[in-house]
Amino acid sequence: MALQCGIVGLPNVGKSTLFNCLSNAKAQAANFPFCTIEPNVGVITVPDERISKLAELVKPQRVVPATVEIVDIAGLVKGASKGEGLGNKFLGNIRETNAIIHVLRCFDDDNVTHVDGSVNPVRDREIIDFELQLKDLETVEGRIARVQKAAQTGGDRDAKRMYEILLKYHTALKQGKSARTVQLDNKDDQKLAGELFLLTDKPVLYVCNVDEKSAVSGNKYVDMLRDAIREENAEYLIVAAKTEAEIAELESFEERQMFLEEAGLTTSGVSRLIKAAYKLLNLETYFTAGPQEVRAWTYPKGAKAPQAAGVIHTDFEKGFIRAEVIKYDDYLRYSSESACRDAGKLAVEGKDYVVQDGDVMHFRFNV
């Protein structure tokens, strides 16, 4: 199953408008809560000029870019953790995603109602976080009840370690902090913690949905949000969803670029958001290049060569022998695989090689 980013937020903050810009799928965008009942999934191409440049050199029969899945999840409301609105269903949809894109309304518009009557992105963020934290607290307390006895009286080392981790999360959540603020000491602890599938432990990107005039430098609402998340392990992005929707309606690349320039932007907010989502999922890209196909392959950052080969096919990982690697810049400089080989720029790497973003790779395997 592909890794997914879930778009969340209160009703009427621009989630579905933004999703429609990101994807060919058309979620209903209406001025009332719960217009999105089922989560809409969009498979979205990751903008990457490197694959275009490789294709210009290789001239393959087809080009296949990297993709990322974005899920538009219906708006949460106060009490979602207790089943208010469609709370349990929404929280379940969030749990199935790998990262969260939290859209916050940072614009004034009397024609678009706000469920709480006024624009305040800090308050809106706290509403969502509070509901997710309550659900996580419920999960943690339930798990504590199950492992406490084994941790305190038995010789189960994993139970004891899990109990200590749970206590850390319990303390943070009771203080109104998200699980992602808890620092765990080692990879073993992180692996145990991963078994909890806590909602607020997922990486998060805050998207400030602004009006067109604030698309470049932000506004007072963005400043409020920036101050509020200063100590949190999270990033934010400024996007004018309504403007992005207008850009998406233009047919030609030239028209879209002209629109962006008039708005004072160099790249669209959608492109920046897709790249940010890719990074949020801790993903990187390597390439394969040949006359049949130039393709971008997605792999988890830090993966070694056999695991990266397994992205193509499990047989590649099982029977991995070696990887032939050309750095992207070298490929551009010498213009072909054979020229890179002649120049000594093709490296032969073994099972311990950590794949680097942009590597052009060819795998040797035997099964």
Side-chain angles (χ1 to χ4, degrees):
M1 182 180 174
L3 297 179
Q4 296 180 333
C5 277
I7 299 182
V8 305
L10 294 176
N12 294 348
V13 297
K15 295 186 298 83
S16 294
T17 300
L18 190 59
F19 178 83
N20 289 342
C21 298
L22 290 167
S23 171
N24 288 329
K26 291 296 181 183
Q28 181 186 0
N31 184 23
F32 56 89
F34 309 130
C35 64
T36 307
I37 302 301
E38 296 298 331
N40 293 271
V41 181
V43 180
I44 299 161
T45 298
V46 178
D48 193 334
E49 65 176 9
R50 296 175 299 182
I51 195 170
S52 300
K53 290 184 177 180
L54 286 173
E56 289 174 7
L57 296 173
V58 178
K59 295 178 173 57
Q61 293 181 18
R62 64 173 183 165
V63 178
V64 183
T67 60
V68 63
E69 288 192 5
I70 305 291
V71 185
D72 180 25
I73 297 170
L76 287 164
V77 295
K78 289 179 182 178
S81 60
K82 303 300 181 185
E84 290 293 327
L86 298 176
N88 289 330
K89 188 177 182 66
F90 300 165
L91 292 168
N93 291 332
I94 295 170
R95 196 178 299 281
E96 292 172 4
T97 65
N98 305 93
I100 295 172
I101 297 171
H102 187 164
V103 182
L104 293 159
R105 178 171 168 175
C106 295
F107 64 91
D108 292 308
D109 188 338
D110 293 338
N111 295 319
V112 180
T113 59
H114 191 291
V115 290
D116 282 319
S118 63
V119 177
N120 186 329
V122 175
R123 177 202 59 211
D124 294 353
R125 165 183 166 269
E126 289 174 350
I127 289 171
I128 298 288
D129 282 354
F130 181 67
E131 297 301 329
L132 300 183
Q133 288 164 8
L134 281 179
K135 204 65 180 178
D136 280 349
L137 187 60
E138 181 182 306
T139 299
V140 167
E141 289 180 341
R143 194 65 178 269
I144 286 175
R146 292 201 297 273
V147 305
Q148 185 171 8
K149 186 174 180 180
Q152 293 177 337
T153 62
D156 189 333
R157 183 175 298 177
D158 282 347
K160 183 178 181 181
R161 195 74 208 117
M162 175 61 86
Y163 180 64
E164 292 172 354
I165 292 169
L166 288 165
L167 290 181
K168 289 183 179 181
Y169 281 131
H170 191 265
T171 299
L173 292 165
K174 290 289 282 185
Q175 292 173 349
K177 298 178 181 179
S178 294
R180 74 180 67 89
T181 63
V182 174
Q183 299 296 316
L184 298 178
D185 300 329
N186 54 59
K187 290 184 177 180
D188 290 337
D189 286 358
Q190 292 167 9
K191 185 177 180 180
L192 281 172
E195 297 174 4
L196 299 171
F197 298 104
L198 298 178
L199 299 170
T200 63
D201 200 29
K202 297 177 186 293
V204 64
L205 171 71
Y206 293 104
V207 174
C208 300
N209 183 16
V210 300
D211 55 276
E212 183 176 344
K213 66 181 181 181
S214 305
V216 176
S217 57
N219 55 30
K220 64 180 181 180
Y221 298 126
V222 175
D223 293 340
M224 289 167 59
L225 187 277
R226 183 192 299 116
D227 291 341
I229 66 169
R230 198 177 299 278
E231 295 182 2
E232 186 177 346
N233 184 24
E235 297 184 13
Y236 73 96
L237 195 67
I238 301 172
V239 175
K242 186 176 180 180
T243 302
E244 296 290 329
E246 292 172 359
I247 293 172
E249 293 296 323
L250 299 175
E251 294 184 3
S252 72
F253 174 79
E254 289 74 17
E255 285 180 306
R256 291 193 292 271
Q257 285 301 114
M258 189 179 299
F259 196 116
L260 285 171
E261 289 173 7
E262 289 176 357
L265 299 168
T266 54
T267 57
S268 74
V270 165
S271 293
R272 289 184 285 113
L273 178 54
I274 296 171
K275 289 181 179 180
Y278 198 68
K279 181 181 177 183
L280 193 65
L281 292 168
N282 203 32
L283 298 176
E284 290 184 335
T285 302
Y286 73 83
F287 302 98
T288 53
Q292 298 293 322
E293 176 183 272
V294 168
R295 180 185 286 250
W297 298 93
T298 296
Y299 68 94
K301 184 177 181 180
K304 294 184 178 180
Q307 289 72 51
V311 173
I312 299 176
H313 196 285
T314 53
D315 285 350
F316 282 36
E317 182 174 359
K318 293 175 183 175
F320 179 87
I321 298 173
R322 66 179 182 272
E324 297 174 356
V325 184
I326 301 172
K327 296 302 177 186
Y328 170 77
D329 289 342
D330 288 333
Y331 205 110
L332 255 59
R333 180 181 177 187
Y334 294 99
S335 301
S336 71
E337 180 179 327
S338 59
C340 288
R341 190 186 301 272
D342 293 342
K345 295 299 183 181
L346 187 150
V348 177
E349 303 288 356
K351 293 182 177 180
D352 291 330
Y353 176 70
V354 178
V355 179
Q356 302 299 303
D357 186 48
D359 280 352
V360 182
M361 307 188 75
H362 183 74
F363 297 104
R364 302 292 183 181
F365 70 101
N366 182 35
V367 291

